[in-house]
Amino acid sequence: MDSSTVGAAALKRLRVRRGLSLADMARALTQIAQDLGMPRLPQVASVQRSVARWESKSATMPDERYQLLLAHLYATTPGSSRSLGAGSDFAQYLDALGQLGESESRVSELRSMLVRAVTEDSGGLLMLLAPEAGAGLGQALADVSLLNSETVSGLASVVAGVNAQVGSLPFVRLHVMLAPALEACRRLMADGPPEPVREHLRCTRVEAAMLAGRLAFETRDDAASRALYEEATREAACLGQPWRQASVHLSHALTVLYASPEIANAGALVEKAVRTASGGESRLVRARVHALQAEVAARSGQIRQSDAALGLAWYDIERQSPDDPLPGAFSAEYLRGFEGVCQLYVGDPAVAHDQFAASADSLVSPRQKVQRVIVTTDQALARMRLGEPHAAADLLHECITEAASVGGRVPMIRLRRARQELRPWRREDFVADLDDHMMDMLGR
């Protein structure tokens, strides 16, 4: 069977497994549309024919309205609870859409919309776990000897799922979603998990604590952020995986770089990351570490050291392995953004501008929104140094709109610093317009 036939069969299987006839499905979708306040659907007979077309041998794709209604239907279990994790009806429904030919970006958008919708009033950990892993977690918390690899994998998928929503959901809500998974990891580790799953659980705790540290920073809780990074550092040191230790130091360094006016504080963490990454098997982590090392050197006015670190970053990027333990951790597009920062501080602002523009154009996924705002703000700084304050302000207007939608602390810090660079033109109308926009959208 071709993929569209497989997708149609999957949609039919989901409906039949719930005991819904075509007419029942039509009525269920009509009710969901009413509950959501959407425009009224056609008559039941018409909706029923649409359902039949989605499931036929010459299947048609549900349109975006029906895709959303089906997503809400399958995110709710027959027992009226919510389940979005691996193996759930919702996950199988998204797979079916992919088989029918829907784009990855649209499927990702649907997942984000449902996570946002259901976490507004029922953001529990079990909702994000596969049904079997959810049952297993409850048993393991009562008796740690019952902890198995499926349950640990479920916890790891929750952490990865929360991380994937950065840029799509407010950081405060992500923090709330992540907290139960981190606490479950802590309790299970304290109880002494079975040897076969201990290392996997510790890795999951490291990832959860590191992400929680970043989210605490984004929500302006620096004390909690430091404590969480310290927790991640301690746990990572118990693993024979230098690349993972380097990732923790790197993430921590990025928060310190923006939270502290003393660049030396971030530099010390970067040097730790360089030392640990050099003994690890992830070239992508090494490339990212060297890129940040280059930025710290450039901000300190060290041209030769910055150039050397950038050279090492490109060396690792060009020799990355397809089986890197942290795929997607870094890319040439991200590295061009770091090159731009280095040019901005110790090079040519015209070159920096072009590198920022190329990097921003490549950052298109929801997960990359925060980075795109940062890069575009730096692009505006380059415009200022080229004597083009009006063009810089135009870019900052774009950044303000984006920053308002993604939230986060770093974009706000970068925007404030960029605004300070416009002080020589503070009496100009275009700067007053920018201030009004910042106040309206960001309240500052």
Side-chain angles (χ1 to χ4, degrees):
M1 293 189 294
D2 61 28
S3 61
S4 63
T5 305
V6 172
L11 286 181
K12 182 175 182 178
R13 187 166 55 250
L14 284 168
R15 174 178 61 79
V16 172
R17 194 165 63 203
R18 293 201 173 201
L20 296 174
S21 66
L22 291 172
D24 292 335
M25 173 67 95
R27 284 189 284 269
L29 295 177
T30 300
Q31 184 61 53
I32 293 171
Q34 182 178 327
D35 293 343
L36 294 176
M38 294 174 65
R40 179 185 292 274
L41 295 185
Q43 292 184 349
V44 168
S46 177
V47 178
Q48 180 176 330
R49 287 192 292 272
S50 295
V51 175
R53 285 194 294 271
W54 307 333
E55 300 176 1
S56 68
K57 290 183 179 179
S58 55
T60 61
M61 177 83 70
D63 65 25
E64 290 195 358
R65 174 178 56 169
Y66 282 117
Q67 285 181 13
L68 181 60
L69 295 174
L70 287 165
H72 276 276
L73 174 68
Y74 289 123
T76 304
T77 70
S80 299
S81 62
R82 302 280 196 167
S83 181
L84 306 181
S88 65
D89 284 358
F90 176 74
Q92 292 178 50
Y93 161 65
L94 294 185
D95 288 341
L97 285 184
Q99 293 286 353
L100 286 169
E102 188 53 88
S103 67
E104 289 185 13
S105 61
R106 172 58 181 166
V107 171
S108 176
E109 180 185 8
L110 275 172
R111 182 182 291 109
S112 295
M113 289 170 69
L114 265 293
V115 169
R116 184 184 298 114
V118 302
T119 55
E120 284 179 351
D121 54 6
S122 58
L125 169 63
L126 296 180
M127 178 203 71
L128 297 172
L129 284 169
E132 298 80 6
L137 178 60
Q139 295 169 354
L141 289 171
D143 182 356
V144 75
S145 67
L146 299 177
L147 183 64
N148 56 35
S149 59
E150 183 178 53
T151 300
V152 178
S153 294
L155 282 171
S157 73
V158 170
V159 177
V162 173
N163 189 39
Q165 297 302 320
V166 170
S168 298
L169 292 175
F171 285 107
V172 172
R173 190 180 302 172
L174 292 174
H175 210 352
V176 172
M177 290 166 61
L178 179 65
L182 176 57
E183 186 57 30
C185 289
R186 288 168 173 162
R187 287 177 54 184
L188 292 168
M189 285 299 301
D191 290 343
E195 184 62 38
V197 298
R198 184 174 302 162
E199 182 170 317
H200 189 187
L201 180 62
R202 194 184 299 276
C203 290
T204 303
R205 181 178 179 182
V206 170
E207 294 298 318
M210 181 169 62
L211 178 56
R214 189 262 174 102
L215 296 176
F217 165 79
E218 296 284 6
T219 52
R220 295 172 174 77
D221 191 343
D222 289 340
S225 181
R226 284 192 298 272
L228 286 160
Y229 276 116
E230 288 169 3
E231 177 182 348
T233 300
R234 286 195 307 271
E235 294 298 316
C238 298
L239 298 164
Q241 300 174 333
W243 64 268
R244 199 179 293 275
Q245 289 178 262
S247 295
V248 176
H249 292 318
L250 178 64
S251 181
H252 193 187
L254 284 166
T255 64
V256 171
L257 182 62
Y258 299 113
S260 169
E262 297 296 330
I263 200 166
N265 296 333
L269 285 166
V270 171
E271 291 307 314
K272 284 184 181 180
V274 169
R275 288 195 297 272
T276 51
S278 63
E281 61 272 35
S282 175
R283 284 193 177 275
L284 290 177
V285 170
R286 288 210 294 270
R288 192 177 183 194
V289 165
H290 285 305
L292 187 57
Q293 185 183 37
E295 177 178 343
V296 169
R299 288 175 180 271
S300 303
Q302 300 170 337
I303 301 176
R304 184 174 58 81
Q305 293 90 331
S306 179
D307 287 344
L310 279 175
L312 291 171
W314 277 115
Y315 179 88
D316 285 317
I317 280 287
E318 292 165 357
R319 289 160 180 77
Q320 61 181 288
S321 168
D323 57 353
D324 192 282
L326 201 60
F330 201 57
S331 66
E333 289 77 18
Y334 278 101
L335 183 51
R336 277 194 284 272
F338 280 96
E339 278 190 321
V341 171
C342 295
Q343 287 287 340
L344 188 65
Y345 284 94
V346 293
D348 184 342
V351 175
H353 175 273
D354 292 345
Q355 288 169 329
F356 288 137
S359 180
D361 287 344
S362 69
L363 301 171
V364 296
S365 73
R367 181 69 175 78
Q368 297 171 324
K369 279 184 179 179
V370 173
Q371 187 64 25
R372 188 166 64 250
V373 174
I374 292 169
V375 169
T376 307
T377 304
D378 286 340
Q379 185 184 353
L381 286 172
R383 284 279 179 90
M384 292 179 214
R385 295 181 188 183
L386 290 168
E388 301 174 7
H390 286 83
D394 289 341
L395 284 172
L396 291 177
H397 277 291
E398 296 177 19
C399 293
I400 290 167
T401 302
E402 283 282 286
S405 69
V406 302
R409 187 173 176 186
V410 174
M412 303 303 182
I413 292 172
R414 293 290 256 263
L415 279 167
R416 284 200 299 271
R417 290 178 181 174
R419 169 59 185 85
Q420 289 170 0
E421 295 280 335
L422 284 170
R423 279 180 295 187
W425 300 276
R426 62 186 178 276
R427 301 186 192 284
E428 300 285 344
D429 289 344
F430 74 90
V431 176
D433 290 341
L434 187 69
D435 288 341
D436 289 343
H437 193 191
M438 289 185 72
M439 183 60 68
D440 290 342
M441 300 295 291
L442 306 175
R444 62 195 68 194

